[in-house]
Amino acid sequence: MSKYEVTQKQWHEVMGSDPSYFKGNDLPVERVSWNDVREFIKKLNEREGTEKYRLPSEAEWEYAARGGTATRYSFGDDESELDEYGWYYENSNYETHPIGQKKSNPWGLYDMHGNLCEWVQDKWHDSYEGAPADGSAWEGGGSVACLIRGGSWLLNAVDCRSADRGYFGPVNRDSFLGFRLVKEL
């Protein structure tokens, strides 16, 4: 899994545009829909002559966000420590920030608890009953809505927990929605 959220510079190199509201090469790209992200992945794979890049599944995302922990956040249960690990409502000044400025989780992944909510491959289901047991994306049944994980500059600390989840339609774009990639070996 990528150490960082995909940046505006990376998006522009593949897509030739930048849909973001907050501008800066080292800022995470935002205002990208789930459908936009799928197109980015398709073009990136074509450009590199591979099929290795994809969105993480919900299970992969949470496993990575936790970084081997079983606490509310990868750094423990005390939300007062979130300032050191993520950009959220209380410290973001209502905007995104360059990737990697806060502490990483135990596995060296940055911004898992803030900056942007991140699209994952799965469709929304109200519960985990019937979910794949192997950690793969759950794309069948359920809703047409797509899952997002992690917190953002717009959300409170409780919404930045490792287990927090939400959903939007696959065409929704907003300045708090971004993504990171998985590259299969």
Side-chain angles (χ1 to χ4, degrees):
M1 184 167 301
S2 173
K3 287 174 62 171
Y4 307 107
E5 295 160 322
V6 171
T7 65
Q8 292 173 33
K9 180 180 180 182
Q10 291 168 314
W11 182 274
H12 188 270
E13 287 173 357
V14 173
M15 303 299 280
S17 64
D18 181 2
S20 301
Y21 177 77
F22 303 107
K23 298 293 187 187
N25 281 340
D26 293 333
L27 291 175
V29 67
E30 26 89 3
R31 294 185 47 85
V32 292
S33 71
W34 188 84
N35 288 342
D36 295 336
V37 171
R38 300 285 300 149
E39 184 63 21
F40 172 88
I41 291 169
K42 178 183 169 196
K43 286 185 176 187
L44 178 61
N45 279 323
E46 287 172 356
R47 179 177 155 172
E48 296 200 6
T50 188
E51 287 295 320
K52 293 183 178 185
Y53 296 101
R54 63 178 175 82
L55 280 173
S57 71
E58 178 181 23
E60 289 170 328
W61 192 97
E62 185 169 333
Y63 181 76
R66 289 185 179 281
T69 69
T71 52
R72 293 175 54 161
Y73 306 91
S74 65
F75 53 83
D77 290 320
D78 186 357
E79 70 183 41
S80 70
E81 294 179 45
L82 183 56
D83 273 1
E84 297 178 44
Y85 293 87
W87 297 107
Y88 67 112
Y89 183 77
E90 296 295 324
N91 69 357
S92 69
N93 200 30
Y94 316 112
E95 62 187 1
T96 61
H97 291 268
I99 58 169
Q101 288 191 333
K102 296 290 187 173
K103 290 182 180 178
S104 70
N105 76 3
W107 291 351
L109 303 176
Y110 293 84
D111 300 315
M112 298 299 286
H113 298 295
N115 218 8
L116 291 178
C117 295
E118 298 177 16
W119 292 110
V120 296
Q121 184 63 39
D122 304 59
K123 299 294 183 173
W124 173 259
H125 294 81
D126 290 332
S127 75
Y128 293 113
E129 186 176 326
D134 64 359
S136 62
W138 193 7
E139 300 181 74
S143 154
V144 297
C146 301
L147 264 163
I148 57 169
R149 296 302 303 262
S152 83
W153 61 268
L154 181 65
L155 298 175
N156 291 316
V158 70
D159 299 317
C160 295
R161 296 171 296 118
S162 298
D164 197 65
R165 58 198 302 255
Y167 62 91
F168 286 95
V171 297
N172 281 67
R173 295 180 179 98
D174 215 311
S175 58
F176 60 85
L177 292 172
F179 69 105
R180 75 180 64 226
L181 294 173
V182 168
K183 182 180 180 183
E184 296 178 353
L185 300 178

